[in-house]
Amino acid sequence: MLLAESGYFSKGMEPLIMTEKSIKPTRREFLRTAAIGSAAAAGSSLIPGVQAQPAAAQDVCTPNWFTKPEPITDIAETVEADIIVVGGGTSGLCAATTAAQAGAKVIVLQKGDYYSSNGWGIGGVSPAFMPEAQQNISYWPMFTQWLDEMDRKCDTEICKLWWDYSGEMLEWVTAVSGTKHGREWIVAYPAGDQAPTCLVLFQSGELATQNLYCLGGLYEECQELGVEFRFNTPGAQLVQDADGKVLGVVGHDEEYDEYVQFNGTKGVILCTGDYSHDHEMMEYYCNWMADLPSAYFPRTNTGDGHKMALWAGAVMNFPTPHAYITHYDPSVLPGPTIPFSAMPFLAVNLRGQRYANEDFGPQKYENIANQDIREPERIRWQIMDANFPDIVGGWAEGSGVIGRSVPADPLAGVEAGLEPGTVVKADTLEALATAIGAPVETFVATVARHNELFAMGEDPDFGKDARYLYPIEQAPFYAIKRTPNVLAIPDGVLINTSLQVVNADGEPIPGLYAAGNTTGGFYGNAYGLFVPATSTGRAFTFGRLAAKSALGIPFEKHYTPAE
């Protein structure tokens, strides 16, 4: 069935011709229509037998990455190894370390001049890291909740890989990076004492570098095992034989401005991260987030692995928009990240108006950004008075979630934003309104109404829980500026449970594997924070599994959910 005939379309794979007929596809048709849409738009057939669309239509609708480039033939050097890992980030180093420990010769291509990772914890499901009372808790209720939170748009079998094998990964990474290479780590349980999940935190001394600190131990292990790193050498194009098997990858050595072909006798593993720094891909696959600033560093994630895989016959996950991770911590505003981004303080926009219930609950952090995007200039000001250090202590009890923790000195944490201007302090509400650029009369009336709600002990305006109502009366008054950012787009090409990249028929592309944010199917509409650190946990787990799969090593399940 041709895509133009099926009528089953998504934003991410729009056809160039559409009829009124609408048919719900089978899984095979689902995959094939995605690839056919790509092929048709490209003007060249990525799937044999697909009719290309007219050039006039391509000019209007074709994203540039839909066009498969001509093979790179100006090769300065050819190198061979068992495993070629494209990307030296979280999943890439896990794949490289795992393969090297199994005795494989490994080469890692990295776009930048060092290995990289973002994030501050590694999520997993492991009885070995649980208090005794939690070791026999079934994961099925929480797993089912996960599927529901994803609106069942995720691939259940792909999701289950993390739930089944992340425990073994945590034991492995803490043994290698922790015990062997001296990185300190602790375990936290932000999901509570009735959950089978945990969070491993490597103690770098700075929240934003904890996973990078962990990767340092894996990098040292790789060096000991003889893994070859080619820094400043991004992957450019996969090499395939006449039957479509992936033989290797061509990388661009930026130091010498030449192309090098890296052949992998056992496989090529794509670990190139997401595409959040490619604005055209953002507009096409995740336009809701396209214009938000990125908090991911370095800004080199331009979907290189996604594009190479698509040119080799892969398909992107859809429907769109793709899943996204929005954050306020870290902040993209000048100066340090100010605490309390998820605390339910009175929120006003640039019009001086309150616009929502500020309490999203402990597991809906990402929805704050969805709401703030609708406000003028995407700005939220949190309003409080001199008594806020006492207030936040009560709010943080038992929350254990991002944006709701309380530093040792709350006042110092907030006033750190005064100099860069992300926090405003004033002796009167009128002065505070002027400082944040809000109409004075409207702002003062908004605060007065908030005080009325506190006195009433209820919120008939937006329904906020009465325990989060508080007076704003004691000078000095404070306003904290917030604007959402994109941390990552954890979505991409479809894989199977062996971490093999699949084509339009759901069949694996021989020799090609992928892990981390290059892959799709794990999330639904957005990143679910009620299960902690699944993006990094998935990257660590899937990188390890991809290497095992390429080498024919069985997966080890260290957690069996209780019946």
Side-chain angles (χ1 to χ4, degrees), residues 346-355 376 381 383 433 436-447:
L346 169 64
V348 301
N349 57 25
L350 292 178
R351 300 187 183 100
Q353 301 167 329
R354 183 186 182 208
Y355 53 91
W381 288 98
I383 310 302
I436 68 174
V440 173
E441 185 176 346
T442 302
F443 177 82
V444 171
T446 296
V447 174

Side-chain angles (χ1 to χ4, degrees), residues 49-208:
V50 175
Q51 180 68 38
Q53 295 298 322
Q58 296 174 39
D59 293 341
V60 175
C61 303
T62 307
N64 60 29
W65 69 89
F66 273 18
T67 303
K68 183 177 181 178
E70 293 296 321
I72 297 169
T73 57
D74 184 17
I75 304 297
E77 178 188 11
T78 300
V79 184
E80 185 173 284
D82 297 316
I83 297 292
I84 309 298
V85 179
V86 187
T90 302
S91 58
L93 258 69
C94 287
T97 307
T98 298
Q101 287 179 331
K105 181 181 179 181
V106 181
I107 298 176
V108 178
L109 310 188
Q110 171 65 338
K111 194 173 187 177
D113 56 6
Y114 59 93
Y115 60 89
S116 63
S117 180
N118 281 245
W120 52 273
I122 310 168
V125 183
S126 172
F129 293 89
M130 293 294 183
E132 185 175 353
Q134 292 176 246
Q135 290 182 2
N136 293 317
I137 293 177
S138 171
Y139 77 36
W140 289 122
M142 198 170 191
F143 181 63
T144 301
Q145 183 184 355
W146 167 272
L147 299 178
D148 290 340
E149 289 283 337
M150 298 300 115
D151 293 327
R152 302 282 173 157
K153 291 181 179 179
C154 54
D155 185 320
T156 302
E157 292 182 316
I158 297 301
C159 293
K160 199 169 181 292
L161 288 173
W162 177 80
W163 291 81
D164 283 342
Y165 300 110
S166 57
E168 188 276 335
M169 174 276 297
L170 289 178
E171 295 176 41
W172 168 76
V173 75
T174 52
V176 176
S177 188
T179 304
K180 183 175 180 180
H181 292 283
R183 268 65 176 176
E184 295 183 5
W185 54 275
I186 62 172
V187 183
Y189 309 96
D193 60 7
Q194 294 302 308
T197 58
C198 63
L199 184 64
V200 169
L201 304 159
F202 278 80
Q203 300 297 284
S204 65
E206 184 178 347
L207 192 67

Side-chain angles (χ1 to χ4, degrees), residues 93 97 115-117 173 176-178 181-183 202 209-223 540:
L93 258 69
T97 307
Y115 60 89
S116 63
S117 180
V173 75
V176 176
S177 188
H181 292 283
R183 268 65 176 176
F202 278 80
T209 63
Q210 290 184 164
N211 285 351
L212 185 63
Y213 177 63
C214 171
L215 253 60
L218 297 185
Y219 181 68
E220 290 173 9
E221 181 76 358
C222 283
Q223 289 182 308
F540 276 88

Side-chain angles (χ1 to χ4, degrees), residues 3 13 16 32-48 50-53 58 62 66-67 310:
L3 175 63
M13 293 296 174
L16 301 175
R32 179 169 287 279
T33 55
I36 291 174
S38 299
S44 62
S45 185
L46 301 185
I47 305 296
V50 175
Q51 180 68 38
Q53 295 298 322
Q58 296 174 39
T62 307
F66 273 18
T67 303
L310 287 172

Side-chain angles (χ1 to χ4, degrees), residues 520-540:
F522 193 79
Y523 295 101
N525 291 329
Y527 180 61
L529 273 170
F530 82 98
V531 181
T534 54
S535 179
T536 52
R538 174 183 70 149
F540 276 88

Side-chain angles (χ1 to χ4, degrees), residues 236-257:
Q237 192 176 91
L238 294 169
V239 179
Q240 295 173 276
D241 65 15
D243 295 322
K245 179 180 179 180
V246 172
L247 305 176
V249 60
V250 175
H252 181 237
D253 187 322
E254 295 179 336
E255 181 179 357
Y256 297 100
D257 191 21

